[in-house]
Amino acid sequence: MFSQIVSAIGAMIFGVAICAAYFWFSNKLLDLIFPAREGDDVHQAAVNLRRRGLIRPWLFLGPALFLLVVYLVYPVVATFILSFYGPDGNKFVGGANYLWALNDTEFRQSIFNNILWLAVVPAACTFFGLVIAVMTDRIWWGNIAKAVIFMPMAISFVGASVIWKFIYEYRGGTDTQIGLLNAVVQLFGGTPEVWITIPFWNNFFLMVMLIWIQTGFAMVILSAALRGIPEETIEAAVIDGANGWQIFWKIMVPQVWGTIATVWTTITILVLKVFDIVLTMTNGQWNTMVLANLMFNWMFRGGGDSGRSAVIALVIMVAVTPIMIWNIRRANAETKGR
């Protein structure tokens, strides 16, 4: 443990030192290449200063752009090329992998499940987060409630899966039900079920876990946005005779709509990457497979198929792209509006 802490601290110090050295030496080199010393030709000095001003920002942006190309642009291009090759990545197969995706039942099921997740989880997290943010601001123990609701954010997806396994747990025969859900069902005279094996509905049982984790995130962000609403607008609405419901929908929601859209977008991107919950709870069985898990399976199943896994990775990237473009355009529009 101690050695790991020392290694982490050493890595941080080394990284900061390398960055500082790079910026110091690159600026010194730039000053040497384009000198503007006292006594030099005034016109040439002015030209050199202008050149320095044009180049210096790129010295700061250069490493970030380089890493962006290496770790983002290159993998996307390489994945696209790989999607036209066979399992080992050596034999060109054209569009065979894309044809497989169109005809594969498991792939279509994964698309359907991802659409379900996208339709339910972001909307539920944003809605519950907004409602809880409004309600907790009106009670004296609101901060305590917020802390409790935010706690699941500190739990990993695998850890949350272990917790919810005990909630959905089923014991066959005459064994005592230790799962919370089955215990409640049995208390009211119902029949215990293996909940995560029920087709279609088991997807919603898995979604509950992500909603449980992410509602705290939505609540914190939206609570901060609500606190930014001018009190004068609320007071004016009250004087005009607006009730609580009207104040919420017609005063609060429109003023924090940009934040709502940001929270929804963030959770939507997270949903497209959901992997751990499905892997831990069902491993994609009983029609719960999603694209990220299907990609993982094809990367390692039977020695792996890099071509088919590349196709699935591209589908995920294509699904994320419109959301990112919309979010960037909305942010730019808001910036110009200010």
Side-chain angles (χ1 to χ4, degrees):
M1 182 67 177
F2 178 75
S3 62
Q4 292 175 331
I5 294 174
V6 172
S7 299
I9 294 173
M12 288 189 290
I13 294 173
F14 178 75
V16 172
I18 290 294
C19 291
Y22 163 77
F23 289 123
W24 189 84
F25 281 112
S26 61
N27 277 280
K28 282 293 182 182
L29 183 62
L30 183 64
D31 293 341
L32 290 174
I33 296 173
F34 300 106
R37 296 182 295 269
E38 186 178 350
D40 290 344
D41 179 68
V42 176
H43 175 71
Q44 187 60 44
V47 171
N48 286 347
L49 284 172
R50 194 180 308 113
R51 288 173 177 172
R52 282 190 202 175
L54 291 172
I55 296 173
R56 203 178 303 276
W58 294 102
L59 293 178
F60 290 88
L61 288 173
L65 292 175
F66 173 76
L67 293 174
L68 188 68
V69 170
V70 171
Y71 291 105
L72 184 62
V73 178
Y74 169 72
V76 171
V77 174
T79 301
F80 177 72
I81 295 172
L82 194 61
S83 68
F84 294 100
Y85 285 80
D88 57 1
N90 295 320
K91 182 182 178 182
F92 183 79
V93 296
N97 292 323
Y98 292 91
L99 187 62
W100 159 82
L102 291 173
N103 295 320
D104 186 69
T105 304
E106 196 171 32
F107 179 82
R108 293 199 297 268
Q109 180 68 50
S110 300
I111 293 285
F112 175 75
N113 290 341
N114 267 102
I115 292 173
L116 272 182
W117 281 74
L118 289 171
V120 175
V121 175
C125 290
T126 306
F127 174 76
F128 288 131
L130 181 59
V131 171
I132 293 169
V134 173
M135 293 176 64
T136 51
D137 281 341
R138 299 186 178 187
I139 54 179
W140 66 268
W141 49 277
N143 289 333
I144 299 174
K146 286 181 181 178
V148 172
I149 294 168
F150 187 75
M151 278 183 185
M153 277 289 296
I155 303 173
S156 68
F157 286 178
V158 174
S161 300
V162 172
I163 293 171
W164 281 84
K165 265 186 176 295
F166 285 107
I167 294 177
Y168 295 140
E169 180 68 18
Y170 170 81
R171 294 291 176 90
T174 58
D175 293 343
T176 303
Q177 298 297 329
I178 65 169
L180 178 61
L181 184 56
N182 276 322
V184 172
V185 168
Q186 208 169 31
L187 179 65
F188 288 96
T191 303
E193 298 281 353
V194 188
W195 301 103
I196 61 173
T197 66
I198 303 173
F200 181 71
W201 297 109
N202 50 10
N203 286 288
F204 293 96
F205 294 135
L206 299 183
M207 291 178 205
V208 168
M209 298 167 55
L210 190 54
I211 294 170
W212 178 67
I213 295 171
Q214 289 298 311
T215 295
F217 162 76
M219 175 200 65
V220 169
I221 303 299
L222 293 170
S223 180
L226 289 169
R227 289 178 182 274
I229 298 176
E231 287 291 334
E232 294 80 3
T233 58
I234 306 294
E235 292 172 359
V238 173
I239 293 172
D240 288 341
N243 56 37
W245 188 257
Q246 290 171 326
I247 291 172
F248 176 74
W249 285 109
K250 297 183 178 181
I251 303 297
M252 292 182 173
V253 171
Q255 293 197 60
V256 298
W257 183 251
T259 306
I260 291 173
T262 300
V263 170
W264 178 86
T265 303
T266 304
I267 298 175
T268 298
I269 294 171
L270 177 67
V271 168
L272 285 169
K273 300 186 295 181
V274 68
F275 169 78
D276 313 62
I277 291 174
V278 177
L279 181 69
T280 307
M281 294 293 290
T282 65
N283 195 25
Q285 300 178 84
W286 309 297
N287 296 334
T288 59
M289 185 70 74
V290 291
L291 288 172
N293 294 86
L294 186 63
M295 181 185 72
F296 177 81
N297 282 353
W298 279 107
M299 286 175 66
F300 301 104
R301 180 192 297 171
D305 191 321
S306 56
R308 292 183 176 181
S309 60
V311 169
I312 302 169
L314 287 172
V315 171
I316 297 173
M317 285 188 283
V318 169
V320 170
T321 301
I323 301 169
M324 296 297 296
I325 292 173
W326 174 80
N327 204 33
I328 292 170
R329 292 184 64 179
R330 186 188 58 79
N332 289 338
E334 287 185 358
T335 303
K336 291 178 181 177
R338 292 172 186 170

